[in-house]
Amino acid sequence: MTVTSYNPADPTDLVLGVDAAGAAGTRAAVERARAAQPGWYAAGAAARAAALGRAADAVEAAAEELAALAVREVGKPLAEARGEAARAVAILRYYAQAPYAPVGAVHDTAAGPGLLLTRRRPHGVAGLVTPWNFPLAIPVWKAAPALATGNTAVLKPAPEATACALRLAELLALPEGVLTVVPGGAEEGAALIDAADVVSFTGSTAVGQRVVAATAARGIPAQAELGGLNAAIVLPDADIEQAADHLAVAVAGYAGQKCTATGQVIAVGAAYEPLREALAKRLAAADRGPVIGEAALDRLTGAVGSARDAGATVLTGGGRTPGPGWGFEPALLADVPADHPLRTEEYFGPIAVLLPAADLDEAIALANAGRHTLAASVHTRDLDTALAAADRLDAGMIRVNAPTTGVDFHLPFGGTGSAGYGGREQGSAALEFYTASRTVTLLPGA
């Protein structure tokens, strides 16, 4: 089998064609990683910190090359691709300091002489399954904490982002077996999940649920970030123009292909009419970059068509853009029936539903009604309202007067409900996920 990736802006442009690893090749990569792991861990904190520091320098030096590759392979706008390359560098530098962090604590015994210790140790081989939409940052934010804590890693990227993953691994230049990329699809992903000692997955809800079931059957730790249907609440006292700017970014940025993108806009009371006008205007003028492939484009245009047939009003966009690429006009819809999939499912594209709410209570009820929420935003000038909404919203991340998109890599990242499973990613939470706690009791020998 050959793994291929094509330029979403020009589907005739073949970016990469490479042989898939296959199940046997994937298992072999895990065994090489397992053989390398004791030496990588035993090398000590200074060696791991230095390796990650050198990796950060290498990625920084090649940032323009990586940004251009991300533009070509996954259709990311150049400014966002440059930002992602810079974030990958920052993440590597952040976790380069992690090997020096405390890995346990000392406790007094309950009675008598002795010593009680807790110590965190790496699991072994981390199996990392990553999506195409952040082809640089997500592999790094999974691999860096895994490696910093003494694990080795095997990375299975989405086929659409294989070129980015292979080039990134080359630049990291880690010792043999410490980080291996296995090109492939479902076969390779399943083999990796069956062989690794700890698994971190980012992707669709359906696949993620199978990953969780497989790792649970094996009794190994797993985390799964599965996206979500994210809501933005706009109160009447908000700066409507600013809110519309933030929402347009959150709905249409990178063609809505972010798990933190806004899919539902909830306008409270008198905010509805001015927000509808302002947001429709901004989305009509938003960047109309390509979605990742023809199937994604068909799913988006089909959703708009079925919603219109069900009585929805298309306020702007919703069609395919002219030209050779897989472009889609950012869409805003009103009057979408409650049972339509746009109200319940993530479509992973620049499309949002506008909903009215009589007051904050109704707005929060609408925002919390979904089965998977990763991020939510609240737009208001009133601090009491902001704090109340932050306490009552079920989202894993809540942003006030800011787009739902945007992540602080030194803080925990994850959602609620079927948006995520297992320990949080990023920050110190990731260091805990990639290690296991052990309790040691030392008593006098006589």
Side-chain angles (χ1 to χ4, degrees):
M1 173 185 169
T2 301
V3 176
T4 57
S5 65
Y6 289 87
N7 183 345
D10 179 6
T12 65
D13 177 21
L14 175 64
V15 179
L16 177 78
V18 64
D19 289 339
T26 302
R27 289 191 292 268
V30 172
E31 290 310 308
R32 291 193 298 273
R34 187 163 284 122
Q37 192 272 328
W40 173 248
Y41 180 58
R48 296 197 301 276
L52 291 175
R54 290 191 297 270
D57 292 341
V59 172
E60 185 174 45
E64 280 298 306
E65 174 199 345
L66 289 171
L69 183 57
V71 170
R72 183 181 173 211
E73 186 170 41
V74 300
K76 182 154 285 197
L78 180 58
E80 289 204 32
R82 284 171 170 161
E84 185 179 346
R87 174 157 296 200
V89 173
I91 292 169
L92 285 164
R93 292 210 167 115
Y94 173 80
Y95 284 113
Q97 301 306 308
Y100 295 111
V103 293
V106 178
H107 302 262
D108 284 338
T109 61
L115 193 63
L116 300 179
L117 305 175
T118 61
R119 187 179 184 191
R120 303 196 71 85
R121 300 286 299 276
H123 294 291
V125 179
L128 313 177
V129 182
T130 58
W132 49 262
N133 60 327
F134 285 89
L136 309 175
I138 292 182
V140 167
W141 86 39
K142 291 182 186 293
L147 299 172
T149 50
N151 301 278
T152 50
V154 177
L155 169 65
K156 206 297 288 183
E160 298 90 340
T162 303
C164 285
L166 290 170
R167 182 58 181 138
L168 188 62
E170 287 178 351
L171 290 167
L172 298 186
L174 293 162
E176 180 71 23
V178 171
L179 175 64
T180 306
V181 176
V182 289
E187 178 184 353
E188 290 74 13
L192 179 57
I193 290 158
D194 286 342
D197 302 309
V198 58
V199 170
S200 180
F201 169 88
T202 299
S204 71
T205 299
V207 176
Q209 289 173 341
R210 295 198 292 271
V211 170
V212 170
T215 53
R218 293 187 57 216
I220 64 169
Q223 62 183 187
E225 197 283 290
L226 310 177
L229 182 58
N230 307 304
I233 297 175
V234 181
L235 279 299
D237 70 314
D239 182 328
I240 297 298
E241 297 300 317
Q242 180 191 69
D245 287 338
H246 290 163
L247 291 170
V249 168
V251 172
Y254 187 29
Q257 298 173 124
K258 302 177 182 180
C259 54
T260 52
T262 296
Q264 296 195 346
V265 178
I266 304 169
V268 178
Y272 186 88
E273 292 297 336
L275 182 64
R276 180 179 65 176
E277 180 180 349
L279 182 55
K281 179 179 179 181
R282 281 161 176 79
L283 288 177
D287 176 60
R288 301 186 178 194
V291 294
I292 193 61
E294 189 169 8
L297 180 59
D298 289 344
R299 186 165 185 254
L300 291 166
T301 55
V304 172
S306 68
R308 184 189 288 112
D309 291 343
T313 302
V314 179
L315 300 176
T316 188
R320 181 171 185 161
T321 59
W326 294 306
F328 177 78
E329 300 170 338
L332 182 66
L333 287 78
D335 310 313
V336 177
D339 60 350
H340 191 275
L342 281 172
R343 295 283 301 273
T344 59
E345 302 297 331
E346 178 188 45
Y347 271 79
F348 220 62
I351 184 168
V353 173
L354 179 63
L355 302 171
D359 52 29
L360 181 62
D361 290 342
E362 184 181 1
I364 290 175
L366 286 168
N368 288 345
R371 65 187 179 92
H372 47 191
T373 303
L374 176 60
S377 66
V378 181
H379 302 263
T380 178
R381 289 187 174 99
D382 185 74
L383 179 60
D384 289 344
T385 300
L387 293 174
D391 282 343
R392 296 170 60 192
L393 284 165
D394 289 340
M397 297 178 293
I398 299 160
R399 294 165 60 82
V400 178
N401 295 325
T404 52
T405 51
V407 174
D408 296 297
F409 62 79
H410 57 299
L411 294 175
F413 177 89
T416 58
S418 57
Y421 172 89
R424 295 299 203 222
E425 295 197 85
Q426 305 196 72
S428 60
L431 302 176
E432 294 183 2
F433 171 72
Y434 287 109
T435 55
S437 179
R438 299 179 179 182
T439 299
V440 179
T441 302
L442 300 175
L443 299 179

